[in-house]
Amino acid sequence: MKTGPQMNTLLQSLQAKVETQTQATEAQIQEKLHGFEQSLTQELNAAQRKIMQDMRDLEKLSEMIQDRTVNQVETQARKIRQATAELEESRKEWRTVTWKTMLPTYLVGVFLTFWALLMAVQLTFPDPPTVAAKPDLATYGLEGVRVIRGPGGLGRVLSLPRSVTLADCPIPNLNGGNVCVETKVTR
């Protein structure tokens, strides 16, 4: 089979069309790729700008939070120092008031305790023997009464003066041995 001039022309025309079509498609693809690349670059740049803006905002927010935290810590530290100073002042006042009010009370308590202890010790000592004044027979008008004892100290006999007389005892003496007398003083 021989190809004729028509076929060559057709083939050349077809080849030219394929090349034109290929170049058009290639140009179109190149254009689309270029557009996609530009769009992707713009999107990446926008994302990068957004990330940078977010980082700056985060940094500012972090600084604000840090500043606020530092201020709060400093405020709390001031309050604590002030409360500590007030507590120290209160403690000094309490010491002064305590010593001024409690020391005399304490000393009175010590004195009273010492006094009570001294009284307790004194109460445990026996009373010193007191020489009780025996009623003198003369106070009853019995001066001159003599007691005579029997031999070996057995028995007693009273020798009464003339002004003394025997009398009835106001309380009867059932055991015996007691004698009641009457004098000028007891009448």
Side-chain angles (χ1 to χ4, degrees):
M1 263 200 18
K2 272 190 174 188
T3 54
Q6 284 183 344
M7 196 64 149
N8 278 342
T9 313
L10 185 60
L11 239 144
Q12 283 178 352
S13 157
L14 193 61
Q15 214 174 13
K17 262 188 179 187
V18 167
E19 273 185 40
T20 306
Q21 190 91 27
T22 305
Q23 286 176 357
T25 306
E26 206 176 281
Q28 228 176 9
I29 290 174
Q30 280 291 348
E31 193 176 310
K32 283 186 180 182
L33 275 175
H34 184 65
F36 176 73
E37 187 180 338
Q38 284 183 344
S39 174
L40 184 62
T41 304
Q42 287 174 354
E43 291 293 324
L44 286 174
N45 286 339
Q48 186 178 11
R49 282 193 302 274
K50 179 71 172 151
I51 289 172
M52 295 300 284
Q53 183 64 37
D54 287 349
M55 290 297 284
R56 283 192 295 272
D57 291 345
L58 181 63
E59 189 177 321
K60 287 178 185 177
L61 183 62
S62 175
E63 286 175 4
M64 282 180 8
I65 290 172
Q66 183 180 2
D67 289 345
R68 190 175 340 153
T69 304
V70 167
N71 287 338
Q72 287 175 348
V73 167
E74 287 175 355
T75 302
Q76 289 296 326
R78 268 195 309 277
K79 287 179 181 178
I80 290 171
R81 282 192 295 271
Q82 183 180 5
T84 304
E86 289 173 1
L87 184 63
E88 183 65 27
E89 189 63 33
S90 172
R91 188 175 66 85
K92 286 178 183 177
E93 286 179 25
W94 184 82
R95 273 189 186 167
T96 304
V97 168
T98 300
W99 281 111
K100 286 181 179 178
T101 58
M102 295 301 288
L103 184 63
T105 307
Y106 175 75
L107 291 176
V108 166
V110 168
F111 175 73
L112 287 176
T113 304
F114 177 73
W115 181 77
L117 191 64
L118 185 63
M119 289 295 112
V121 168
Q122 193 174 26
L123 287 175
T124 59
F125 286 135
D127 289 335
T130 55
V131 179
K134 291 184 180 178
D136 191 8
L137 293 176
T139 53
Y140 298 108
L142 294 172
E143 59 271 335
V145 173
R146 292 183 316 189
V147 178
I148 302 171
R149 297 205 181 262
L154 296 175
R156 289 187 282 185
V157 176
L158 287 177
S159 170
L160 298 174
R162 290 183 196 201
S163 62
V164 178
T165 60
L166 291 176
D168 292 328
C169 289
I171 301 173
N173 187 1
L174 300 176
N175 293 333
N178 288 332
V179 177
C180 294
V181 291
E182 187 177 55
T183 64
K184 291 180 194 177
V185 175
T186 58
R187 279 186 202 138

